[in-house]
Every structure is written in structure tokens, then in C-alpha cells.
Amino acid sequence: MSNARLRSSMKTLSGFLLNETTISNDATINFGSSLITDDYDLYDVYVKNLIPATDDVSLQLRLGVGGSLSTGASDYSTSMKMFGTKASDNGEHDTFSQAQSSEIHLTVDSDQSLGTGDGESWSARYRFYNLRSTTLIKGMEGLDSGGMTSNEYYSKLRNSQTINKYNVNRTSKVDTISIFASSGNLTSGTISLYGIKIWQSYTNKWMVLKLN
């Protein structure tokens, strides 16, 4: 893991910037227990201009408890709706779902892979819910987009909406997020972690972001 820039408790419109990692040929990007704590209710991971070392791979993610990642064959569920364009027509769309898997699929190899061609990259925002809860189901939803230079499916511009569920450790607090490619390293780009604290004013009953 490369930690070229670390900013602690930097307040932004997205919440507190907890860590910004500049990728440099890394096998995984891990956010651990020093960052994922009870201080925040939601966690956002922002990916900017990610480029893999190997062409045509998918971006994947695992969660962990006590620093130990969950890798069981039924630990995660994924549902994804994809949109894109290619030269031969106006648009394409498809869906992907997997009831049980050993990782969360942020992209899909066959339909929405990461590329290494000129101008190709991947950017996204992934939001994590209930990571620190000991009673509620934990999950993640994402919005992402990228471009490819080939004339294949989802070639010019593609984006997706994803919903993922963590099927284990509902009563344990998650303290690790690990991001990696299905094959090979991550060459360049940035991945940032934000923490968001939600509090309820009992005077007006509105939910607001607490940024200080």
C-alpha cells in the first residue's frame, strides 16, 4: 500500500478526508482500523482515474474484522446495472448479479473491465453503510464511470450503479476495506477514504451532516 499523502480530519463537503492514497504499482489498497472507527456512521471511498497494470481486469473489494479479511465463497452479494455506449449504436445496458461470492465486484470482467489503453481510466464513489454496527446488515452502494478505446461492448463510455451486501459478521464491527484488481497490480490513480458523521437534532428532528 502506498500512502503518499495522508490528511487527518480534513473537513470537506463530502465529510472528513481521512486518507488519500496515491497508487504506485500496488497489489492492494487497504484502509484499516486506525481509519475505520466508531467516529463515523458512513464511509465513502472515492476512486479517481484508476489504471490497472493488466488489461481487461475487474476491480474488487473485501471487508474485514479485526484486520482479517472475509474470503468465504458466500461472504458477499452483488447486484449491478450497467450503461454504456459503443460506435455501432446509441447505447447499451445490462445487469449483473451474484448471490454469493468471495469478494464484492465493483466492475465486471466481461462487460465493464478496467483497461490500460490510451485515455482509459476508472473513477467512482462507493458508500459503505453500518460498518461499525453490531446489529444491522452491512452493505455498500456505488456510482462509477470509465472509458475504453476499443470498439467492444461498453467501449466509449460506461457507468454503473451497484448494490452489495456483506453476508457475514453482522454482529462484529468491520475495520478493514481492501481494494484490488482481479489480476495484477494497480498502476496509478488515487483512492481516498472519507468519514461522515450523522446526528439527529431532537429539536427539529432533521438529519444533518456533522462536519465539526
Side-chain angles (χ1 to χ4, degrees), residues 84 110 132 201:
S110 59
R132 304 297 293 171
S201 169

Side-chain angles (χ1 to χ4, degrees), residues 42-181:
L42 304 173
Y43 286 90
D44 281 356
V45 169
Y46 280 81
V47 178
K48 181 181 179 182
N49 296 332
L50 176 65
I51 299 175
T54 304
D55 194 31
D56 203 24
V57 297
S58 67
L59 189 62
Q60 300 180 351
L61 179 147
R62 290 190 175 108
L63 302 176
V65 173
S68 179
L69 295 175
S70 299
T71 60
S74 60
D75 287 354
Y76 306 92
S77 300
T78 298
S79 179
M80 181 183 300
K81 186 171 184 179
M82 297 166 283
F83 311 85
T85 64
K86 63 180 181 180
S88 61
D89 55 26
N90 293 324
E92 298 289 343
H93 59 88
D94 204 350
T95 59
F96 170 85
S97 62
Q98 195 168 34
Q100 297 181 338
S101 65
S102 59
E103 65 281 315
I104 286 176
H105 294 271
L106 301 178
T107 67
V108 184
D109 284 349
S110 59
D111 295 325
Q112 203 174 29
S113 59
L114 305 182
T116 60
D118 291 342
E120 296 185 352
S121 69
W122 191 254
S123 297
R125 190 272 290 158
Y126 302 110
R127 173 161 291 180
F128 297 82
Y129 298 90
N130 303 324
L131 292 188
R132 304 297 293 171
S133 175
T134 57
T135 58
L136 301 176
I137 293 173
K138 300 167 176 62
M140 186 214 84
E141 55 89 14
L143 293 172
D144 46 44
S145 184
M148 296 180 67
T149 56
S150 68
N151 193 33
E152 301 299 325
Y153 199 44
Y154 298 112
S155 59
K156 302 303 181 187
L157 179 66
R158 61 257 153 88
N159 60 67
S160 67
Q161 296 175 310
T162 62
I163 299 174
N164 302 271
K165 186 165 70 74
Y166 187 43
N167 297 325
V168 295
N169 291 321
R170 183 174 63 80
T171 59
S172 299
K173 295 183 178 183
V174 167
D175 61 8
T176 307
I177 298 173
S178 180
I179 301 171
F180 53 96

